[in-house]
Amino acid sequence: MDHSTIPISNLQLAFSVLLILISGAISSLLKLGLLKPLLWGSVRTFIQLTLMGYALTYLFIINNLWLILVIVTLMCYIASKTAVKRTPNVPNYPSMLAFFSLLASTFLVGSIVTGLIISPEPWYSARIVIPIFGMILGNSMNGIALALDRLYSEARSRSTEIEALLTFGATPWEAIRPSLREAVRAGMTPTINSLMVVGLVSLPGMMTGQILGGADPQEAVRYQIVVMLMISAAVAIGCLLLVGLSYKKLFNKDGALEPFILHSRQ
Amino acid sequence: MMLFRFEGITYTLGLRQERKISVSGSLNEGFALIVRGPSGAGKSTLLRVLAKLQTCLAGEAYLEEKSWQEIPVTTWRSKVHYLSQKPALFDGTVAENLARPFGILAGTKKQFDPNLAARLMKELLLPSDLWDQDARTLSGGEAARLAFIRSLLIDPMVLLLDEPTASLDEKSRCAFYEVLSRWLAQPSKAALLISHNNDFRELSQLAYLDIDSNPRR
């Protein structure tokens, strides 16, 4: 059996544009108004990934620890900005808190995986670190966005209960705890669902990539197990950190609910 | 004896904080202070401010001559206790709802007294078979009385009651005031009360506080 990658030529890559035309046709036929974001998204995919391809080649060659750290921190920053942007229930959220949660959870879990489990030579090998950290970030970004949005919407819908608990003499932490639990649960649910069905419903992207790249499926499976568990750990830590850091934003200095939680959504 | 006093309590009303109100008042042991004023005058907001549920721009409140700045906010809220017009219900049975505050007050001496709770339920004309019923299935009037009982069980010194009888019928309203006046007759108890029904005359010791209804811009 031939274990090498089958390369995609420029012409073959151009054929993939046909696929956008299909989704574009559906969009314009049903007037979904998605044509523009679809085209823009496709253009961005081509540009971002092409640039990333060059950047990665370069990064892998020079393999400098500090450069890798800068890149990974920058990735965390972009992920935190993105996570905070699409949360309709959350006004004026300081993205620093999201950045810190992502940075801490990604570095903690990422270091365990690269240092302890995969242990490449050298330990900060860009070929391992960047894709691993990227996978962690992509998943925790979605996790914390869900958790954050749920935290605020829970606080809104439970404001009567939260205030009642405060009048009983509860601290903000005691009053918000049921909402925190729901928020972390919401952030972790997609990850747990994917743990349940992996291999049955979906072959995850990384494993698929390795198999298409000619790797032995059993090798790919081992990597994928590590990746799945690492993602669930990172999402859990990220969500927990985020809600733990964020819940104080819902209360004023007297420990009462902020008015924006009690009013209608702006 | 003076139990509760507030001076120059200043707060704003409206989403854009367009109206500013300043109120003072004092309350002797055993008295009920009736807060009067037209709808939207800021009566509920006053009670919420006094319970430290809403920001106060200026002024100070004193419980037994001790300023609210010297008392931890959680202690303050359990002593100067606000009962919302919208009764808060938690998942679980009526009994679990009544015991809910004591999960929080675990560090204190206060403990849930099921006998007292059952007695209050009876006095407020709630049938005893409600005890194990899901609290989310209660009617408006039942829920209001449940929340009132829960507030009494916390054993506050000052009750801030925001239209407590709004959803009660004539009979349970009478029962409510009987329970309240008996509670006020205990040492170191007082209440602030908002009511649109003028039904509070059954209370023996009354004082009045009128809130300025002129919008000051």
Side-chain angles (χ1 to χ4, degrees):
Chain A
M1 201 159 64
D2 184 9
H3 276 317
S4 64
T5 318
I6 304 169
I8 296 180
S9 71
N10 285 340
L11 180 67
Q12 287 166 318
L13 189 61
F15 284 148
S16 66
V17 175
L18 279 175
L19 301 172
I20 316 168
L21 294 183
I22 294 175
S23 42
I26 291 172
S27 168
S28 52
L29 211 65
L30 298 177
K31 298 193 174 63
L32 300 179
L34 293 175
L35 197 59
K36 234 168 104 185
L38 202 62
L39 288 177
W40 178 228
S42 311
V43 171
R44 280 184 63 157
T45 304
F46 270 94
I47 295 174
Q48 284 167 202
L49 287 181
T50 307
L51 289 179
M52 196 59 183
Y54 285 119
L56 283 178
T57 314
Y58 176 71
L59 273 172
F60 291 174
I61 292 169
I62 60 167
N63 207 24
N64 177 294
L65 174 62
W66 299 109
L67 187 61
I68 294 170
L69 278 181
V70 169
I71 298 273
V72 173
T73 309
L74 195 69
M75 284 160 69
C76 287
Y77 178 76
I78 295 170
S80 66
K81 282 280 179 201
T82 313
V84 173
K85 215 191 296 181
R86 277 178 247 292
T87 43
N89 288 305
V90 187
N92 311 324
Y93 186 78
S95 62
M96 272 318 285
L97 297 181
F99 175 61
F100 179 76
S101 315
L102 281 179
L103 197 70
S105 60
T106 306
F107 269 86
L108 181 68
V109 176
S111 311
I112 293 174
V113 171
T114 51
L116 203 71
I117 301 177
I118 304 180
S119 14
E121 202 48 57
W123 58 270
Y124 54 83
S125 176
R127 183 176 286 278
I128 303 293
V129 169
I130 290 186
I132 290 284
F133 278 51
M135 272 188 290
I136 297 177
L137 265 175
N139 287 277
S140 4
M141 175 181 83
N142 292 330
I144 65 161
L146 288 171
L148 186 65
D149 200 51
R150 179 59 79 86
L151 175 64
Y152 278 63
S153 70
E154 282 286 320
R156 255 176 232 285
S157 61
R158 289 176 190 242
S159 59
T160 315
E161 287 158 73
I162 293 171
E163 286 206 325
L165 289 167
L166 292 176
T167 67
F168 299 160
T171 59
W173 169 254
E174 289 167 323
I176 199 77
R177 214 164 40 192
S179 311
L180 290 186
R181 207 165 33 220
E182 288 307 313
V184 175
R185 193 202 303 270
M188 291 190 62
T189 300
T191 308
I192 291 172
N193 283 347
S194 65
L195 281 181
M196 292 296 174
V197 300
V198 65
L200 299 177
V201 175
S202 63
L203 283 187
M206 192 205 69
M207 193 170 125
T208 315
Q210 280 186 320
I211 293 174
L212 287 178
D216 175 5
Q218 284 171 35
E219 267 323 298
V221 161
R222 286 166 169 274
Y223 263 88
Q224 191 58 45
I225 291 172
V226 172
V227 164
M228 296 298 288
L229 299 183
M230 121 193 141
I231 285 171
S232 60
V235 170
I237 297 170
C239 290
L240 210 59
L241 269 178
L242 185 80
V243 297
L245 290 172
S246 306
Y247 83 91
K248 287 204 172 113
K249 299 274 160 219
L250 305 169
F251 294 90
N252 68 14
K253 63 173 170 35
D254 284 333
L257 274 182
E258 285 281 4
F260 77 86
I261 293 294
L262 303 169
H263 299 155
S264 322
R265 240 166 73 179
Q266 296 290 299
Chain B
M1 199 194 97
M2 174 102 69
L3 183 71
F4 184 61
R5 177 164 75 84
F6 47 99
E7 266 171 18
I9 295 287
T10 308
Y11 53 94
T12 52
L13 284 182
L15 204 59
R16 270 161 225 86
Q17 307 175 344
E18 49 270 22
R19 281 160 59 202
K20 209 168 175 179
I21 292 179
S22 197
V23 194
S24 300
S26 67
L27 198 51
N28 282 343
E29 198 179 273
F31 270 79
L33 182 65
I34 310 298
V35 183
R36 293 189 297 198
S39 285
K43 303 188 293 293
S44 293
T45 311
L46 173 65
L47 297 197
R48 290 173 54 83
V49 169
L50 288 175
K52 286 204 161 188
L53 287 175
Q54 208 151 320
T55 313
C56 178
L57 298 176
E60 223 167 322
Y62 304 85
L63 184 65
E64 293 183 310
E65 291 306 316
K66 210 169 166 195
S67 163
W68 64 1
Q69 288 169 4
E70 297 165 40
I71 300 176
V73 63
T74 49
T75 314
W76 178 268
R77 289 205 190 103
S78 65
K79 300 231 186 224
V80 181
H81 173 81
Y82 171 73
L83 178 58
S84 158
Q85 190 181 345
K86 238 188 314 180
L89 296 176
F90 298 89
D91 286 334
T93 64
V94 167
E96 283 164 343
N97 265 268
L98 290 171
R100 189 73 169 84
F102 298 93
I104 289 155
L105 300 168
T108 67
K109 275 173 288 175
K110 293 176 183 175
Q111 279 205 334
F112 180 52
D113 180 350
N115 295 325
L116 177 59
R119 204 188 77 212
L120 287 167
M121 275 177 69
K122 201 172 157 200
E123 287 173 0
L124 286 163
L125 313 178
L126 291 173
S128 59
D129 58 5
L130 278 189
W131 190 257
D132 290 316
Q133 194 178 314
D134 184 346
R136 301 261 188 215
T137 64
L138 295 184
S139 73
E142 288 169 334
R145 281 174 280 171
L146 168 70
F148 177 57
I149 294 169
R150 192 168 56 194
S151 294
L152 293 179
L153 292 175
I154 300 170
D155 194 29
M157 295 168 82
V158 180
L159 264 178
L160 308 170
L161 300 167
D162 193 350
E163 297 199 46
T165 57
S167 55
L168 301 187
D169 60 28
E170 192 57 40
K171 253 173 82 185
S172 40
R173 205 171 278 177
C174 287
F176 171 85
Y177 281 107
E178 261 170 50
V179 170
L180 181 61
S181 58
R182 217 172 307 144
W183 183 79
L184 284 169
Q186 294 173 272
S188 298
K189 302 288 178 197
L192 266 79
L193 179 72
I194 300 172
S195 175
H196 284 300
N197 298 321
N198 278 337
D199 52 4
F200 42 77
R201 302 199 185 279
E202 296 156 50
L203 298 173
S204 51
Q205 294 175 299
L206 287 172
Y208 296 93
L209 175 70
D210 287 301
I211 292 199
D212 197 342
S213 59
N214 300 327
R216 261 176 285 172
R217 285 175 195 275

